[in-house]
């Protein structure tokens, strides 16, 4: 809740997390963020399902079941996420930190090829590619996380693994 010590601590934690990202974490961020003209998180999970199909040498009947389940889970996840976003319509971290840390010097990621810099909190930004924009809708809940949890659960049920390379457990 706002205002509270917990809210303040969460803002400080986000600034620190952004500043401490490893190169590997930055690459993961860039992969999932995509950007203008790239595939969306549900599309990425459909590509993962295609990989599972090829890896496990699915027959048509297996693919019909798997893709139907993945697509429906993604659809349901979208409905659930957007229902939460409208119910909990709350400020995004970039806006909260800029507003509440304006005039305060913070150490944070400074932008591409800059690493950590001291800056006015009013200029803070999360790690993201330069061409990426922060969307104009509520941050909570994370659509990316909601889609990922739904699709991963379905694929795990078909493969028996979180690595999505094992044999399918369903009947032919």
């Amino acid at each position: 809740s706002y205002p509270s010590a917990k809210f303040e601590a969460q803002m400080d934690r986000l600034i620190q997390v952004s500043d401490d990202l490893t190169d590997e974490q930055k690459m993961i961020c860039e992969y999932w963020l995509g950007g203008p003209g790239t595939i969306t998180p549900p599309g990425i999970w459909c590509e993962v399902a295609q990989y599972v199909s090829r890896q496990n040498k699915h027959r048509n009947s297996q693919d019909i079941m798997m893709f139907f389940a993945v697509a429906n889970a993604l659809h349901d996840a979208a409905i659930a996420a957007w229902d939460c976003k409208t119910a909990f319509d709350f400020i995004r971290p970039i806006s909260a930190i800029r507003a509440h840390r304006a005039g305060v010097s913070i150490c944070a990621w400074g932008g591409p090829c800059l690493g950590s810099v001291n800056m006015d909190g009013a200029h803070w930004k999360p790690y993201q590619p330069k061409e990426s924009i922060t969307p104009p809708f509520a941050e909570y809940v994370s659509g990316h996380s909601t889609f990922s949890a739904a699709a991963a659960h379905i694929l795990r049920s078909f493969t028996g693994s979180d690595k999505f390379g094992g044999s399918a457990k369903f009947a032919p």
Side-chain angles (χ1 to χ4, degrees):
S1 63
Y2 175 80
S4 69
K6 186 174 180 179
F7 183 83
E8 296 291 325
Q10 288 174 342
M11 282 192 296
D12 291 339
R13 178 74 180 124
L14 282 173
I15 293 166
Q16 188 64 48
V17 164
S18 178
D19 188 38
D20 290 343
L21 290 176
T22 65
D23 288 342
E24 179 182 14
Q25 290 167 324
K26 290 175 184 176
M27 294 309 301
I28 292 169
C29 172
E30 290 181 24
Y31 175 80
W32 282 103
L33 187 58
T38 62
I39 194 165
T40 62
I44 291 170
W45 280 103
C46 288
E47 286 183 342
V48 172
Q50 289 173 354
Y51 170 80
V52 167
S53 174
R54 286 189 304 273
Q55 180 76 13
N56 293 335
K57 297 177 176 50
H58 282 186
R59 293 182 305 277
N60 197 34
S61 61
Q62 293 169 308
D63 274 347
I64 290 168
M65 288 187 286
M66 184 180 71
F67 283 103
F68 182 81
V70 168
N72 279 284
L74 291 167
H75 182 259
D76 288 348
I79 292 168
W82 282 95
D83 181 57
C84 286
K85 284 179 182 290
T86 57
F88 299 103
D89 189 13
F90 198 66
I91 193 168
R92 291 189 76 87
I94 191 170
S95 300
I97 290 169
R98 285 180 173 180
H100 294 276
R101 295 295 185 263
V104 176
S105 179
I106 61 172
C107 183
W109 176 70
C113 303
L114 296 177
S116 297
V117 299
N118 286 316
M119 67 174 73
D120 183 318
H123 303 295
W124 180 84
K125 59 186 166 218
Y127 179 81
Q128 60 189 28
K130 185 178 181 180
E131 66 278 357
S132 182
I133 58 168
T134 299
F137 49 76
E139 182 268 340
Y140 184 80
V141 300
S142 167
H144 284 64
S145 295
T146 306
F147 292 126
S148 293
H153 177 79
I154 295 299
L155 291 174
R156 184 184 314 112
S157 73
F158 277 88
T159 65
S161 171
D162 286 331
K163 298 192 185 290
F164 308 131
S167 296
K169 295 190 326 185
F170 50 90

